[in-house]
Amino acid sequence: MKRPLGITVHRQIMDSQSLHNEATGELSGLLTELIVAAKTISAEVNMAGLADALGVSGKTNIQGEEVQKLDEFSNNTIKRRMAQSGYICVMTSEEEDGIIPVQEGCEGKYTLAFDPLDGSSNIDVNVSIGTIFSIHRRISSSGQGDIDDLLQPGNELVAAGYMIYGSSTMLVYSTGEGVHGFTLDPSVGEFFLSHESIRVPEESKYFSVNEGNYNYWKPEMRSYVDYLKTIDEASGRPYSARYIGSLVADFHRNLIVGGIFLYPCDSKNPEKPYGKLRLLYEASPMAFLAEQAGGLALTDDGTRILDIKPTTLHERVPLVIGSRKEVERAEQFLNG
Ligand code: AHG
Ligand code: MN
Ligand code: MN
């Protein structure tokens, strides 16, 4: 359904709900609560330099990573709001070891997995960062949810999306009916439709990967990136390299102008043989959006990200995502 630009995200959510007779409004309520959390985080991010919110909190998370103050603020903002929302039965966050229960008596029919602040290494240098979320239906029948409610494959996702706190704050999400982008007008505190039915361009001349890891990659991965950098003007090579270091920002560029983003396996850290990105709240939600927008998301051995059944909350997967034809070409190099 073509929507006029400038409608609010709430209008989009309610219109989408009205298309489903069985809808009870809980998913709409869940998204609305997440949007309030997003506005709170956006305000904090935009003031971070002044409000002494920059820097590290002195703690480390389950990933063994130094928790930045904004990571903690974002995590607490989402956790507290969603625990009492009444729409979810259990949560998991990149910043927490185990499952996060909801407030007694507030158990709902969905689950939430989220990366409260993605791109932490960019917080203190004023580069775009974001929040990533994914929503499943619960499997257990009632009461507090459990880890099995969370360990579901991306092909069972009900909704997924991200907020990007960049030159403007945007919300990009899908409930399975295409991908839509909303831009926050901070003067009125509303998200307005700015990118309706986003489609990933089938081809593009951008590649996005941390080449600092080049010598840790398997030979096929090195061959693929060498191919993209070879001079062959008839086929539009070399491609342009773009790497921001925030998955949300690198993925957003791919979504809008096309390209390929890769975070492959590398031999750099024996404890992380499958690369750095987490399945539940980074690779899976982005894969859902990529496919909803006509793109493709695989691991570097050709497995469709959305078909992977998670076995632990924070498991990592290699990610090759973006313009369909480019991901298919990469696949030929990696597993031809
Ligand atoms: P997070 O800040 O949530 O830990 O995520 C950071 C991730 C992701 O945003 C980005 O694509 C990747 O780390 C960058 O990793 P490198 O610095 O190793 O390239
Ligand atoms: Mn992240
Ligand atoms: Mn994070």
Side-chain angles (χ1 to χ4, degrees), residues 226-244:
D226 292 344
Y227 167 83
L228 296 181
K229 294 161 69 173
T230 305
I231 297 174
D232 176 347
E233 288 164 7
S235 68
R237 286 180 288 140
Y239 281 21
S240 288
R242 293 285 186 279
Y243 194 73
I244 299 167

Side-chain angles (χ1 to χ4, degrees), residues 162-164 168-172 181-184 191 194-195 252:
Y162 58 85
M163 283 68 104
I164 180 167
S168 64
T169 289
M170 277 192 71
L171 164 68
V172 177
F182 298 81
T183 300
L184 180 66
F191 279 103
S194 53
H195 299 68
H252 187 69

Side-chain angles (χ1 to χ4, degrees), residues 61 63 65 71 93-95 114-120 130-132 278 281-282:
N61 63 16
Q63 328 283 345
E65 296 158 345
D71 282 309
S93 161
E94 177 201 23
E95 301 301 342
F114 63 99
D115 178 354
L117 205 81
D118 174 68
S120 301
T131 299
I132 309 170
R278 280 61 53 122
Y281 40 78
E282 288 177 318

Side-chain angles (χ1 to χ4, degrees), residues 23-335:
T24 56
E26 285 179 274
L27 180 59
S28 300
L30 201 176
L31 291 170
T32 300
E33 286 301 303
L34 271 178
I35 288 165
V36 174
K39 290 177 185 175
T40 307
I41 295 168
S42 176
E44 189 71 10
V45 166
N46 292 338
M47 293 295 288
L50 304 173
D52 184 32
L54 297 184
V56 294
S57 65
K59 298 172 189 159
T60 53
N61 63 16
I62 171 82
Q63 328 283 345
E65 296 158 345
E66 209 166 43
V67 176
Q68 302 270 4
K69 287 180 184 174
L70 268 180
D71 282 309
E72 202 166 3
F73 175 86
S74 307
N75 189 51
N76 289 335
T77 299
I78 295 171
K79 203 169 63 166
R80 287 172 186 155
R81 173 159 292 282
M82 299 316 291
Q84 59 186 7
S85 69
Y87 300 119
I88 57 175
C89 62
V90 66
M91 292 178 260
T92 183
S93 161
E94 177 201 23
E95 301 301 342
E96 311 248 344
D97 301 10
I99 67 173
I100 304 169
V102 297
Q103 196 169 299
E104 282 305 313
C106 295
E107 299 85 355
K109 70 180 187 184
Y110 295 105
T111 72
L112 175 67
F114 63 99
D115 178 354
L117 205 81
D118 174 68
S120 301
S121 62
N122 283 324
I123 291 175
D124 290 355
V125 294
N126 206 15
V127 168
S128 296
I129 50 184
T131 299
I132 309 170
F133 62 90
S134 60
I135 298 164
H136 280 98
R137 256 180 219 85
R138 70 181 301 163
I139 297 170
S140 58
S141 55
S142 60
Q144 289 284 340
D146 57 33
I147 194 163
D148 293 327
D149 286 310
L150 289 163
L151 296 180
Q152 296 188 56
N155 56 31
E156 294 291 340
L157 275 168
V158 170
Y162 58 85
M163 283 68 104
I164 180 167
Y165 313 111
S167 48
S168 64
T169 289
M170 277 192 71
L171 164 68
V172 177
Y173 80 95
S174 175
T175 55
E177 292 154 352
V179 180
H180 309 291
F182 298 81
T183 300
L184 180 66
D185 176 343
S187 65
V188 296
E190 263 302 345
F191 279 103
F192 293 97
L193 180 64
S194 53
H195 299 68
E196 212 248 343
S197 298
I198 300 172
R199 303 297 291 170
V200 183
E202 281 219 333
E203 296 185 80
S204 168
K205 300 306 177 200
Y206 289 113
F207 75 101
S208 185
V209 66
N210 182 345
E211 289 198 71
N213 296 331
Y214 181 89
N215 290 316
Y216 291 113
W217 296 338
K218 63 182 186 183
E220 296 81 358
M221 181 65 201
R222 290 202 290 268
S223 304
Y224 172 60
V225 174
D226 292 344
Y227 167 83
L228 296 181
K229 294 161 69 173
T230 305
I231 297 174
D232 176 347
E233 288 164 7
S235 68
R237 286 180 288 140
Y239 281 21
S240 288
R242 293 285 186 279
Y243 194 73
I244 299 167
S246 300
L247 171 64
V248 172
D250 282 316
F251 178 79
H252 187 69
R253 183 196 55 253
N254 271 351
L255 201 61
I256 303 299
V257 298
I260 186 167
F261 173 90
L262 309 101
Y263 208 111
C265 294
D266 61 51
S267 58
K268 187 172 184 179
N269 180 342
E271 289 172 14
K272 297 177 188 172
Y274 299 112
K276 180 178 179 183
L277 299 180
R278 280 61 53 122
L279 174 61
L280 264 186
Y281 40 78
E282 288 177 318
S284 192
M286 293 319 203
F288 179 73
L289 294 173
E291 291 203 6
Q292 279 290 317
L296 186 56
L298 305 174
T299 63
D300 57 9
D301 71 3
T303 305
R304 182 177 176 242
I305 293 287
L306 294 183
D307 291 339
I308 301 174
K309 167 92 173 67
T311 51
T312 61
L313 291 177
H314 304 291
E315 72 184 67
R316 299 171 194 269
V317 285
L319 181 61
V320 180
I321 190 169
S323 295
R324 177 167 290 274
K325 285 192 175 148
E326 199 51 58
V327 173
E328 287 167 350
R329 185 206 322 270
E331 207 33 54
Q332 285 305 310
F333 272 86
L334 295 171
N335 304 288

